[in-house]
Amino acid sequence: MISKIAVAAVVATGILFAAVGAKAAEELTGELAALYYHKKSGDPLDVAGAAAGAKPVTTASHFDRPEAQKAEEARLRAAQAKVDNSTPLVVLTNVTLGEYDRSAGQYTINDLLPGHYLSQIVFGRTYKIGFSNGAPVPLPLPMEEARKVDRLRVIAQVEGHFAGVGDPNGKLDSRYTVLVAISKVTLKLADNGKVLAEFTPSAAAPVPSAKAAADFDVSGLKVGMTEGQLTAAAKASFTDKNLVMGSDQACGGGSTMTVLTKPAVGTVCVTFKVANGKATSITVRQVLTYTKTVVDDVRKGLIAKYGPPGAAASQRFFGWGQSVGKRPQDFQLYAALDAVQTSMEYDAGESGTPVLSVTLTDAATLQTKAAPTQPQNGAPHL
Protein backbone atom coordinates (compact mmCIF):
# COMPACT_ATOMS: atom_id res chain seq x y z
CA MET A 1 0.00 0.00 0.00
CA ILE A 2 0.94 3.68 -0.22
CA SER A 3 3.52 4.86 2.32
CA LYS A 4 3.15 7.88 4.55
CA ILE A 5 5.72 9.67 2.40
CA ALA A 6 3.36 9.25 -0.53
CA VAL A 7 0.48 10.48 1.62
CA ALA A 8 2.39 13.70 2.30
CA ALA A 9 2.98 14.07 -1.44
CA VAL A 10 -0.78 13.95 -2.03
CA VAL A 11 -1.15 17.08 0.07
CA ALA A 12 1.40 18.83 -2.11
CA THR A 13 -0.32 18.01 -5.39
CA GLY A 14 -3.14 20.42 -4.62
CA ILE A 15 -6.44 18.68 -5.27
CA LEU A 16 -9.32 21.13 -4.90
CA PHE A 17 -12.92 20.07 -4.40
CA ALA A 18 -16.34 21.68 -4.34
CA ALA A 19 -17.54 24.04 -1.65
CA VAL A 20 -18.13 22.88 1.90
CA GLY A 21 -20.76 25.02 3.60
CA ALA A 22 -20.98 28.70 2.79
CA LYS A 23 -17.35 29.23 1.81
CA ALA A 24 -15.45 27.58 -1.01
CA ALA A 25 -13.20 24.86 0.36
CA GLU A 26 -9.51 25.64 0.60
CA GLU A 27 -6.97 23.14 -0.63
CA LEU A 28 -5.03 21.96 2.42
CA THR A 29 -1.53 22.75 1.21
CA GLY A 30 1.62 22.99 3.27
CA GLU A 31 1.64 26.74 2.73
CA LEU A 32 -1.87 27.14 4.13
CA ALA A 33 -0.98 25.01 7.17
CA ALA A 34 2.17 27.06 7.76
CA LEU A 35 0.36 30.40 7.47
CA TYR A 36 -2.27 29.21 9.96
CA TYR A 37 0.37 27.87 12.38
CA HIS A 38 2.32 31.12 12.49
CA LYS A 39 -0.87 33.15 12.85
CA LYS A 40 -2.16 31.14 15.80
CA SER A 41 1.01 30.03 17.62
CA GLY A 42 2.56 33.42 18.33
CA ASP A 43 5.68 32.28 16.45
CA PRO A 44 5.79 34.89 13.66
CA LEU A 45 6.56 33.86 10.11
CA ASP A 46 9.61 35.36 8.43
CA VAL A 47 7.54 36.68 5.52
CA ALA A 48 10.51 38.16 3.67
CA GLY A 49 12.45 34.91 3.93
CA ALA A 50 9.45 32.83 2.88
CA ALA A 51 8.81 35.08 -0.11
CA ALA A 52 12.46 35.01 -1.17
CA GLY A 53 12.27 31.25 -1.74
CA ALA A 54 9.03 31.37 -3.76
CA LYS A 55 9.13 30.47 -7.46
CA PRO A 56 7.86 33.87 -8.70
CA VAL A 57 10.83 35.48 -6.94
CA THR A 58 13.55 32.93 -7.70
CA THR A 59 12.63 32.82 -11.40
CA ALA A 60 12.35 36.60 -11.82
CA SER A 61 15.12 38.50 -13.53
CA HIS A 62 17.56 40.50 -11.45
CA PHE A 63 15.81 43.67 -12.65
CA ASP A 64 12.30 42.45 -11.72
CA ARG A 65 13.16 40.60 -8.51
CA PRO A 66 12.55 43.48 -6.05
CA GLU A 67 9.01 43.95 -7.35
CA ALA A 68 8.41 40.20 -7.40
CA GLN A 69 9.58 40.03 -3.78
CA LYS A 70 7.17 42.79 -2.72
CA ALA A 71 4.27 41.14 -4.56
CA GLU A 72 4.97 37.74 -2.98
CA GLU A 73 5.22 39.23 0.52
CA ALA A 74 1.88 40.98 -0.02
CA ARG A 75 0.30 37.75 -1.23
CA LEU A 76 1.50 35.80 1.82
CA ARG A 77 0.29 38.48 4.25
CA ALA A 78 -3.13 38.59 2.57
CA ALA A 79 -3.45 34.80 2.61
CA GLN A 80 -2.47 34.64 6.29
CA ALA A 81 -4.95 37.36 7.23
CA LYS A 82 -7.71 35.38 5.52
CA VAL A 83 -7.15 31.92 7.02
CA ASP A 84 -8.76 31.08 10.36
CA ASN A 85 -10.71 28.32 12.12
CA SER A 86 -13.74 28.87 9.90
CA THR A 87 -11.81 28.19 6.69
CA PRO A 88 -13.31 25.03 5.10
CA LEU A 89 -10.62 22.54 4.14
CA VAL A 90 -10.48 19.52 1.86
CA VAL A 91 -7.65 17.05 1.34
CA LEU A 92 -7.37 13.77 -0.53
CA THR A 93 -5.20 11.07 1.00
CA ASN A 94 -4.45 7.41 0.35
CA VAL A 95 -5.56 5.00 3.09
CA THR A 96 -4.60 1.50 4.19
CA LEU A 97 -7.45 -0.99 4.48
CA GLY A 98 -5.81 -3.41 6.91
CA GLU A 99 -7.42 -6.77 7.70
CA TYR A 100 -11.02 -7.46 6.68
CA ASP A 101 -13.17 -8.35 9.71
CA ARG A 102 -15.34 -11.20 8.43
CA SER A 103 -17.59 -11.26 11.49
CA ALA A 104 -18.34 -7.51 11.26
CA GLY A 105 -18.29 -7.45 7.46
CA GLN A 106 -16.03 -4.39 7.23
CA TYR A 107 -12.57 -2.94 6.97
CA THR A 108 -11.45 -0.44 9.60
CA ILE A 109 -9.19 2.41 8.48
CA ASN A 110 -6.91 3.93 11.15
CA ASP A 111 -5.01 6.51 9.08
CA LEU A 112 -6.86 9.48 10.61
CA LEU A 113 -6.40 8.64 14.29
CA PRO A 114 -4.69 11.13 16.65
CA GLY A 115 -0.98 10.55 16.38
CA HIS A 116 -1.22 9.98 12.61
CA TYR A 117 -0.35 13.00 10.52
CA LEU A 118 0.45 14.32 7.09
CA SER A 119 3.62 16.32 6.62
CA GLN A 120 4.75 18.92 4.14
CA ILE A 121 8.00 20.80 3.69
CA VAL A 122 7.45 24.50 3.03
CA PHE A 123 9.43 27.66 3.86
CA GLY A 124 12.39 25.41 4.66
CA ARG A 125 10.57 23.56 7.49
CA THR A 126 8.44 20.44 7.91
CA TYR A 127 4.88 21.20 9.02
CA LYS A 128 2.62 18.44 10.35
CA ILE A 129 -1.15 18.14 10.00
CA GLY A 130 -2.95 16.10 12.64
CA PHE A 131 -6.63 15.51 13.41
CA SER A 132 -8.30 16.70 16.61
CA ASN A 133 -11.24 14.26 16.35
CA GLY A 134 -9.74 11.51 14.25
CA ALA A 135 -11.38 8.11 14.69
CA PRO A 136 -11.36 4.63 13.15
CA VAL A 137 -13.26 4.91 9.87
CA PRO A 138 -15.43 1.86 9.05
CA LEU A 139 -15.77 0.61 5.49
CA PRO A 140 -18.64 -1.94 5.52
CA LEU A 141 -18.61 -4.20 2.46
CA PRO A 142 -20.05 -7.63 1.61
CA MET A 143 -17.32 -10.23 1.45
CA GLU A 144 -17.32 -10.62 -2.35
CA GLU A 145 -17.08 -6.86 -2.88
CA ALA A 146 -14.42 -6.60 -0.16
CA ARG A 147 -12.36 -9.21 -1.97
CA LYS A 148 -12.36 -7.01 -5.10
CA VAL A 149 -11.66 -3.78 -3.22
CA ASP A 150 -8.76 -5.38 -1.37
CA ARG A 151 -6.73 -5.20 -4.59
CA LEU A 152 -7.66 -1.62 -5.42
CA ARG A 153 -6.41 1.74 -4.17
CA VAL A 154 -8.81 3.49 -1.80
CA ILE A 155 -8.65 7.20 -1.03
CA ALA A 156 -10.27 9.32 1.67
CA GLN A 157 -11.69 12.74 0.87
CA VAL A 158 -11.44 14.54 4.21
CA GLU A 159 -13.48 17.69 4.81
CA GLY A 160 -13.07 19.86 7.89
CA HIS A 161 -11.56 23.04 9.32
CA PHE A 162 -8.57 24.14 11.39
CA ALA A 163 -8.97 23.57 15.14
CA GLY A 164 -5.74 24.86 16.68
CA VAL A 165 -1.99 24.41 16.78
CA GLY A 166 0.18 21.89 18.57
CA ASP A 167 -0.81 18.43 19.68
CA PRO A 168 -3.03 18.41 22.79
CA ASN A 169 -2.13 14.75 23.36
CA GLY A 170 1.60 15.44 23.44
CA LYS A 171 2.27 12.60 21.01
CA LEU A 172 3.64 14.76 18.21
CA ASP A 173 6.36 17.38 18.31
CA SER A 174 3.98 20.29 18.73
CA ARG A 175 6.27 22.79 17.02
CA TYR A 176 5.01 23.42 13.47
CA THR A 177 1.97 21.18 14.03
CA VAL A 178 -1.60 22.18 13.15
CA LEU A 179 -4.83 20.37 13.97
CA VAL A 180 -7.81 19.82 11.70
CA ALA A 181 -11.29 18.96 12.98
CA ILE A 182 -12.90 16.48 10.58
CA SER A 183 -16.52 17.07 9.60
CA LYS A 184 -16.84 14.29 7.01
CA VAL A 185 -14.84 11.48 5.43
CA THR A 186 -15.77 10.03 2.04
CA LEU A 187 -14.05 6.80 0.97
CA LYS A 188 -13.67 6.33 -2.78
CA LEU A 189 -11.97 4.11 -5.31
CA ALA A 190 -8.99 5.97 -6.72
CA ASP A 191 -9.43 4.66 -10.27
CA ASN A 192 -13.00 5.77 -10.98
CA GLY A 193 -14.08 7.87 -7.99
CA LYS A 194 -16.82 5.43 -6.95
CA VAL A 195 -18.03 6.26 -3.44
CA LEU A 196 -17.70 3.29 -1.10
CA ALA A 197 -18.81 4.85 2.21
CA GLU A 198 -19.25 8.11 4.08
CA PHE A 199 -18.36 8.65 7.72
CA THR A 200 -19.01 11.51 10.16
CA PRO A 201 -16.85 11.42 13.31
CA SER A 202 -17.92 12.83 16.65
CA ALA A 203 -17.51 16.58 17.02
CA ALA A 204 -14.05 17.64 18.02
CA ALA A 205 -13.58 18.75 21.61
CA PRO A 206 -12.19 22.30 21.90
CA VAL A 207 -8.40 22.34 21.88
CA PRO A 208 -7.34 23.67 25.30
CA SER A 209 -5.14 26.75 25.40
CA ALA A 210 -1.66 26.56 26.83
CA LYS A 211 -1.38 27.94 30.35
CA ALA A 212 0.02 31.47 30.66
CA ALA A 213 3.68 31.48 31.67
CA ALA A 214 2.93 33.77 34.62
CA ASP A 215 0.71 31.03 36.07
CA PHE A 216 3.31 28.26 35.88
CA ASP A 217 4.10 26.48 39.12
CA VAL A 218 5.61 23.12 39.97
CA SER A 219 3.56 21.57 42.77
CA GLY A 220 2.92 25.04 44.20
CA LEU A 221 6.50 26.26 43.81
CA LYS A 222 7.12 29.36 41.64
CA VAL A 223 10.13 31.35 40.50
CA GLY A 224 10.49 34.58 42.47
CA MET A 225 9.89 32.84 45.80
CA THR A 226 12.47 33.11 48.57
CA GLU A 227 14.19 30.00 49.86
CA GLY A 228 11.94 30.04 52.93
CA GLN A 229 8.82 30.33 50.78
CA LEU A 230 9.99 27.45 48.59
CA THR A 231 10.58 25.24 51.62
CA ALA A 232 7.18 26.07 53.10
CA ALA A 233 5.39 25.48 49.76
CA ALA A 234 7.19 22.15 49.23
CA LYS A 235 6.31 20.91 52.73
CA ALA A 236 2.66 21.88 52.14
CA SER A 237 2.54 20.10 48.76
CA PHE A 238 4.37 16.90 49.67
CA THR A 239 3.00 16.03 53.10
CA ASP A 240 2.73 12.36 52.12
CA LYS A 241 6.17 12.12 50.47
CA ASN A 242 9.77 11.75 51.58
CA LEU A 243 10.86 15.35 50.85
CA VAL A 244 14.53 16.24 50.31
CA MET A 245 15.35 19.96 49.90
CA GLY A 246 18.49 21.21 48.15
CA SER A 247 19.74 17.87 46.77
CA ASP A 248 18.55 15.39 44.17
CA GLN A 249 20.86 12.46 44.94
CA ALA A 250 18.01 10.53 46.60
CA CYS A 251 16.08 10.85 43.31
CA GLY A 252 18.76 9.47 41.02
CA GLY A 253 21.39 12.15 40.98
CA GLY A 254 20.00 14.56 38.39
CA SER A 255 20.08 12.58 35.15
CA THR A 256 19.75 9.14 33.58
CA MET A 257 22.78 7.72 35.34
CA THR A 258 23.60 4.41 36.96
CA VAL A 259 23.37 4.36 40.77
CA LEU A 260 24.09 1.60 43.26
CA THR A 261 20.77 1.58 45.06
CA LYS A 262 17.29 1.93 43.67
CA PRO A 263 15.70 5.33 44.52
CA ALA A 264 12.86 4.90 47.00
CA VAL A 265 9.37 5.27 45.50
CA GLY A 266 7.65 8.34 46.92
CA THR A 267 10.84 10.38 47.32
CA VAL A 268 10.69 13.99 46.12
CA CYS A 269 13.79 16.13 45.62
CA VAL A 270 13.62 19.91 45.24
CA THR A 271 16.62 21.87 43.96
CA PHE A 272 16.74 25.52 42.96
CA LYS A 273 18.93 28.46 41.99
CA VAL A 274 18.66 31.79 43.77
CA ALA A 275 19.69 35.28 42.66
CA ASN A 276 19.20 38.36 44.86
CA GLY A 277 17.27 36.25 47.33
CA LYS A 278 14.72 35.02 44.75
CA ALA A 279 14.49 31.67 42.98
CA THR A 280 15.31 31.89 39.27
CA SER A 281 15.05 28.17 38.54
CA ILE A 282 13.31 25.30 40.34
CA THR A 283 13.53 21.57 39.66
CA VAL A 284 11.25 19.01 41.30
CA ARG A 285 12.09 15.33 40.83
CA GLN A 286 9.69 12.59 41.93
CA VAL A 287 10.43 8.86 42.10
CA LEU A 288 7.40 7.02 40.73
CA THR A 289 6.07 3.49 40.85
CA TYR A 290 6.78 1.56 37.67
CA THR A 291 3.61 0.51 35.86
CA LYS A 292 2.84 -0.25 32.25
CA THR A 293 0.87 3.00 31.96
CA VAL A 294 3.28 5.32 33.79
CA VAL A 295 4.38 7.21 30.66
CA ASP A 296 0.84 7.72 29.40
CA ASP A 297 -0.48 8.67 32.84
CA VAL A 298 2.26 11.25 33.41
CA ARG A 299 1.79 12.72 29.93
CA LYS A 300 -1.94 13.15 30.49
CA GLY A 301 -1.41 14.64 33.95
CA LEU A 302 1.11 17.19 32.70
CA ILE A 303 -1.14 18.28 29.83
CA ALA A 304 -4.15 18.51 32.15
CA LYS A 305 -2.20 20.95 34.33
CA TYR A 306 -0.15 22.96 31.83
CA GLY A 307 -2.13 22.62 28.60
CA PRO A 308 -0.81 21.48 25.20
CA PRO A 309 3.00 21.56 25.17
CA GLY A 310 4.84 23.92 22.86
CA ALA A 311 7.27 21.12 22.04
CA ALA A 312 7.26 17.38 22.62
CA ALA A 313 9.65 14.53 21.89
CA SER A 314 9.33 10.76 22.29
CA GLN A 315 6.12 11.26 24.34
CA ARG A 316 8.35 11.66 27.45
CA PHE A 317 9.82 15.17 27.07
CA PHE A 318 7.74 18.35 26.96
CA GLY A 319 8.26 22.11 26.91
CA TRP A 320 5.90 25.02 27.63
CA GLY A 321 6.14 28.80 27.68
CA GLN A 322 8.93 30.95 26.31
CA SER A 323 11.57 29.22 24.22
CA VAL A 324 15.18 29.89 23.28
CA GLY A 325 15.43 26.86 21.01
CA LYS A 326 13.58 23.97 19.42
CA ARG A 327 14.14 21.22 22.00
CA PRO A 328 11.71 20.77 24.91
CA GLN A 329 14.52 21.49 27.38
CA ASP A 330 14.95 24.91 25.78
CA PHE A 331 11.51 26.00 27.02
CA GLN A 332 10.67 27.96 30.18
CA LEU A 333 8.88 24.96 31.69
CA TYR A 334 10.42 21.60 30.92
CA ALA A 335 9.19 18.16 31.99
CA ALA A 336 10.96 14.85 31.44
CA LEU A 337 10.17 11.29 32.46
CA ASP A 338 13.51 9.51 32.80
CA ALA A 339 14.43 6.02 33.95
CA VAL A 340 17.19 5.86 36.55
CA GLN A 341 19.17 2.66 36.10
CA THR A 342 20.61 0.70 39.01
CA SER A 343 22.88 -2.30 39.17
CA MET A 344 19.97 -4.36 40.49
CA GLU A 345 17.81 -3.37 37.53
CA TYR A 346 20.53 -4.27 35.04
CA ASP A 347 20.78 -7.72 36.61
CA ALA A 348 17.01 -8.17 36.44
CA GLY A 349 16.77 -6.79 32.92
CA GLU A 350 14.25 -4.11 33.93
CA SER A 351 13.88 -0.72 32.27
CA GLY A 352 14.68 1.36 35.34
CA THR A 353 12.93 3.36 38.03
CA PRO A 354 10.82 6.15 36.50
CA VAL A 355 11.59 9.66 37.76
CA LEU A 356 9.55 12.68 36.72
CA SER A 357 11.62 15.84 36.55
CA VAL A 358 9.99 19.26 36.05
CA THR A 359 12.08 22.43 35.79
CA LEU A 360 10.69 25.96 35.81
CA THR A 361 13.06 28.76 34.80
CA ASP A 362 12.29 32.47 34.64
CA ALA A 363 12.48 34.15 31.23
CA ALA A 364 15.53 36.31 32.05
CA THR A 365 17.57 33.28 33.11
CA LEU A 366 16.39 31.39 30.04
CA GLN A 367 17.60 34.20 27.76
CA THR A 368 20.94 34.27 29.58
CA LYS A 369 21.36 30.55 28.94
CA ALA A 370 20.84 31.16 25.23
CA ALA A 371 23.37 34.01 24.99
CA PRO A 372 26.40 32.94 22.92
CA THR A 373 29.64 32.68 24.88
CA GLN A 374 32.72 34.53 23.72
CA PRO A 375 35.62 32.36 22.57
CA GLN A 376 38.47 32.12 25.08
CA ASN A 377 41.42 32.89 22.85
CA GLY A 378 43.83 34.04 25.57
CA ALA A 379 43.85 37.66 24.40
CA PRO A 380 43.92 40.27 27.20
CA HIS A 381 40.75 42.25 27.98
CA LEU A 382 41.83 45.87 27.54
Side-chain angles (χ1 to χ4, degrees):
M1 298 300 293
I2 305 300
S3 69
K4 285 297 176 186
I5 294 176
V7 170
V10 172
V11 181
T13 58
I15 300 174
L16 187 62
F17 293 93
V20 178
K23 293 183 181 180
E26 289 277 358
E27 160 197 2
L28 183 52
T29 62
E31 178 182 287
L32 190 66
L35 293 175
Y36 176 83
Y37 172 82
H38 288 287
K39 182 176 182 177
K40 295 292 184 179
S41 67
D43 178 8
L45 174 67
D46 177 6
V47 176
K55 187 173 181 180
V57 178
T58 58
T59 58
S61 67
H62 180 74
F63 182 84
D64 292 327
R65 190 162 297 168
E67 290 302 316
Q69 173 77 19
K70 289 180 182 179
E72 183 63 15
E73 288 183 23
R75 185 191 71 81
L76 288 173
R77 289 193 177 96
Q80 187 173 45
K82 179 183 174 183
V83 67
D84 57 28
N85 284 12
S86 68
T87 301
L89 305 169
V90 181
V91 63
L92 195 70
T93 179
N94 301 286
V95 294
T96 303
L97 294 180
E99 291 289 334
Y100 181 74
D101 186 337
R102 294 169 183 261
S103 60
Q106 68 176 34
Y107 290 103
T108 299
I109 294 167
N110 294 316
D111 294 309
L112 305 181
L113 287 171
H116 292 243
Y117 58 90
L118 308 178
S119 63
Q120 178 69 10
I121 298 175
V122 63
F123 305 148
R125 296 191 181 101
T126 300
Y127 293 83
K128 296 176 182 177
I129 302 162
F131 303 102
S132 62
N133 62 332
V137 179
L139 175 54
L141 290 172
M143 188 176 296
E144 288 307 312
E145 189 173 352
R147 182 175 285 109
K148 297 176 184 177
V149 169
D150 191 62
R151 303 186 180 195
L152 302 175
R153 188 161 61 96
V154 176
I155 57 177
Q157 177 182 318
V158 181
E159 304 172 17
H161 60 85
F162 284 123
V165 297
D167 174 28
N169 298 303
K171 292 187 175 181
L172 304 181
D173 184 344
S174 290
R175 198 172 175 88
Y176 309 127
T177 298
V178 302
L179 289 174
V180 171
I182 302 171
S183 57
K184 183 181 177 182
V185 179
T186 304
L187 300 175
K188 301 179 178 182
L189 292 179
D191 292 342
N192 56 22
K194 178 185 176 182
V195 174
L196 299 174
E198 293 184 346
F199 176 73
T200 302
S202 300
V207 177
S209 300
K211 196 171 185 178
D215 296 329
F216 286 153
D217 74 275
V218 183
S219 300
L221 283 67
K222 290 190 174 186
V223 294
M225 285 182 168
T226 64
E227 184 172 347
Q229 289 171 330
L230 286 175
T231 300
K235 288 181 178 179
S237 290
F238 300 112
T239 56
D240 60 336
K241 306 293 183 183
N242 175 28
L243 177 63
V244 180
M245 295 293 298
S247 171
D248 60 7
Q249 290 185 357
C251 298
S255 65
T256 51
M257 59 185 294
T258 302
V259 295
L260 295 177
T261 58
K262 181 179 287 191
V265 172
T267 302
V268 173
C269 301
V270 177
T271 57
F272 48 87
K273 296 179 181 178
V274 176
N276 299 319
K278 304 287 187 179
T280 59
S281 181
I282 302 164
T283 297
V284 176
R285 289 171 62 83
Q286 304 182 51
V287 183
L288 308 177
T289 302
Y290 177 78
T291 66
K292 290 183 178 180
T293 64
V294 63
V295 174
D296 201 43
D297 291 343
V298 167
R299 174 179 59 83
K300 291 177 180 177
L302 288 168
I303 292 171
K305 177 169 184 177
Y306 299 117
S314 302
Q315 299 188 43
R316 297 189 300 122
F317 310 103
F318 309 95
W320 293 263
Q322 188 170 337
S323 163
V324 294
K326 296 182 179 180
R327 306 172 304 166
Q329 53 264 49
D330 297 327
F331 282 67
Q332 186 175 2
L333 181 67
Y334 169 58
L337 184 63
D338 294 325
V340 176
Q341 303 287 351
T342 72
S343 56
M344 292 184 294
E345 284 160 349
Y346 278 129
D347 292 341
E350 297 178 6
S351 59
T353 301
V355 177
L356 172 62
S357 176
V358 182
T359 298
L360 175 59
T361 305
D362 74 325
T365 302
L366 196 72
Q367 292 291 352
T368 302
K369 285 182 180 179
T373 57
Q374 297 298 322
Q376 302 298 314
N377 56 12
H381 186 135
L382 301 177

